[in-house]
Amino acid sequence: MLRILLVEDDDDIRAGLSRALTNQGVTVAAVARGADALGRLAEFAPDAVILDLGLPDLDGSDVLAMIRSLGQVPVLVATARDDEREIVRLLDAGADDYLVKPYSAAQVLARVRAVLRRGGPGAEKESATVTVADLVIDPQGREVELAGERIVLTRKEFDLLLYLARRVGEVVSKHDLLADVWNLPWGGGDRTVDVHVSWLRRKLGETAAEPRFLHSVRGVGLKMVDPT
Ligand code: CA
């Protein structure tokens, strides 16, 4: 049975959503404060966390950082504002997806299931190591080695690299990257992709002018190439 930890200070939303999710067969633990969330996380061991960003005691992004420091449980942040910059910042900070209020239990469940399909323990095939020439990506340990040397990537850099490495030789549009790696709709967020690609290139020891793995396809997007 699916276990969800709901962190929401609004009594009505918390009670309503808890009831609706319970009716859908989900085991719910609900807390009103960020500080309580961290305690419950360890003892309840949820499959996913729904985290309201506007909490009275702690800033939502600080709670997210604390949850992340404890492990890889999927976190869906809930925000009252459909603010793309804020959402991008939180996804970069380790959120797996986001919900814009008001949201229904059905929507929460659909998003949680999608997140679990993408990266959850059920995703057997998804855990296989991906190798492209001297680049070795371990999805399970979220580790990357280049020519035998470990390279340290942020969460989104890792997701981006893995996504591209699973599609070697395929041209991937920025639109697809934004949708599949960031879960964001198209709309001005393409700078996000560009910035992450340039960071990733730097860590892979290459540049846009002299690419090895990551080749830009003008006007379309990006292609990962096996350089050997
Ligand atoms: Ca709130």
Side-chain angles (χ1 to χ4, degrees), residues 41-62:
L41 193 63
E43 57 177 52
F44 182 63
D47 297 304
V49 179
I50 310 296
L51 173 65
D52 174 33
L53 292 175
L55 294 170
D57 61 327
L58 293 169
D59 183 62
S61 47
D62 291 338

Side-chain angles (χ1 to χ4, degrees), residues 38 41 51 53 59-71 75 77 89-90 93-95:
L38 301 170
L41 193 63
L51 173 65
L53 292 175
D59 183 62
S61 47
D62 291 338
V63 179
L64 175 61
M66 286 186 258
I67 294 174
R68 271 292 149 262
S69 73
L70 296 174
V75 179
V77 290
R89 194 178 66 77
L90 289 158

Side-chain angles (χ1 to χ4, degrees), residues 98-111:
Y98 67 97
L99 295 153
V100 177
K101 292 182 179 183
Y103 47 79
S104 65
Q107 207 179 338
V108 169
L109 273 180
R111 293 293 190 103

Side-chain angles (χ1 to χ4, degrees), residues 77-210:
V77 290
T79 170
R81 290 182 310 153
D82 197 355
D83 177 344
E84 184 180 289
R85 284 183 53 174
E86 177 67 2
I87 291 167
V88 167
R89 194 178 66 77
L90 289 158
L91 292 173
D92 280 343
D96 293 86
D97 204 346
Y98 67 97
L99 295 153
V100 177
K101 292 182 179 183
Y103 47 79
S104 65
Q107 207 179 338
V108 169
L109 273 180
R111 293 293 190 103
V112 166
R113 290 198 176 111
V115 163
L116 292 175
R117 264 200 308 277
R118 278 207 306 274
E124 284 296 313
K125 186 168 137 272
E126 306 273 292
S127 65
T129 299
V130 180
T131 305
V132 183
D134 53 359
L135 183 67
V136 181
I137 306 164
D138 167 17
Q140 208 138 36
R142 297 186 69 83
E143 287 183 354
V144 178
E145 277 188 6
L146 179 62
E149 298 272 337
R150 170 97 190 269
I151 56 174
V152 179
L153 301 180
T154 67
R155 195 175 166 84
K156 278 298 158 197
E157 287 165 359
F158 182 89
D159 292 344
L160 175 63
L161 182 65
L162 180 61
Y163 185 88
L164 292 167
R166 283 181 171 151
R167 292 165 182 77
V168 166
E170 242 179 78
V171 179
V172 180
S173 71
K174 284 190 203 171
H175 185 289
D176 287 343
L177 290 173
L178 213 53
D180 294 345
V181 179
W182 278 268
N183 300 315
L184 283 177
W186 184 246
D190 59 328
R191 281 291 299 152
T192 302
V193 175
D194 291 340
V195 167
H196 282 81
V197 168
S198 83
W199 289 338
L200 193 51
R201 276 194 171 121
R202 196 175 311 159
K203 291 188 180 175
L204 293 174
E206 61 181 63
T207 62
E210 284 182 63

